[in-house]
Amino acid sequence: MTKQEQKQEAIERMKMLKLYPNVIKEFEKENIVNLSENGGILYWLDNDQQKMVDDFEIEHDALVYHIIHSFTEIGELYSLLYVSKHEKEWETDREDLKDGYAFVYTKNVNDDWCSEFGSICIKSQLGGLVRVA
């Protein structure tokens, strides 16, 4: 699986999620990953957030295409939406997105032991995404 194939899949997923068109264009043309927070408002990553993405992509041979940043009772969370290197998972991932779910890696800033892979419930809002469960 090539990074270009992963990138094409990520672009298709971003379109499915109805992310703001400029977010998709920035990712496609410049490899810029955006972050949603505060109800779907979009931001560029700071240096620490970009390092988190770079480290994750190297460790898991994955391609991150969007992040949802949340503050919860269990800590500050970064939910990384990504395309895995395993193409056989892609169809299931797309079906889940259609149903409002995303399989993500969630980084817990306050307690790394609680960081994990899993499904979250999401919705499109203000051109970005919101984690609703």
Side-chain angles (χ1 to χ4, degrees), residues 11-115:
I11 291 166
E12 291 306 312
R13 292 181 190 189
M14 294 171 84
K15 290 175 182 176
M16 287 175 58
L17 292 167
K18 297 178 177 51
L19 289 173
Y20 187 66
N22 282 355
V23 168
I24 299 169
K25 187 167 84 174
E26 288 175 348
F27 181 79
E28 184 174 16
K29 304 288 185 207
E30 303 173 55
N31 298 315
I32 294 173
V33 174
N34 277 258
L35 172 143
S36 294
E37 66 180 16
N38 299 322
I41 298 172
L42 295 160
Y43 298 91
W44 287 324
L45 304 184
D46 66 25
N47 290 337
D48 291 336
Q49 293 162 341
Q50 186 62 56
K51 182 175 180 347
M52 175 183 59
V53 167
D54 294 343
D55 291 347
F56 175 82
E57 289 181 337
I58 290 167
E59 183 175 348
H60 299 284
D61 200 11
L63 180 66
V64 174
Y65 60 90
H66 199 73
I67 299 173
I68 303 171
H69 185 211
S70 315
F71 293 91
T72 72
E73 59 278 353
I74 62 167
E76 180 181 1
L77 306 178
Y78 288 97
S79 299
L80 282 63
L81 284 79
Y82 68 94
V83 176
S84 78
K85 66 178 180 178
H86 305 291
E87 188 176 5
K88 65 183 183 287
E89 298 173 353
W90 293 4
E91 186 176 341
T92 302
D93 291 343
R94 285 191 298 268
E95 290 300 317
D96 287 347
L97 290 175
K98 288 178 189 173
D99 292 335
Y101 296 93
F103 189 79
V104 301
Y105 177 75
T106 298
K107 169 80 172 160
N108 187 317
V109 174
N110 304 100
D111 186 355
D112 193 51
W113 190 81
C114 293
S115 298

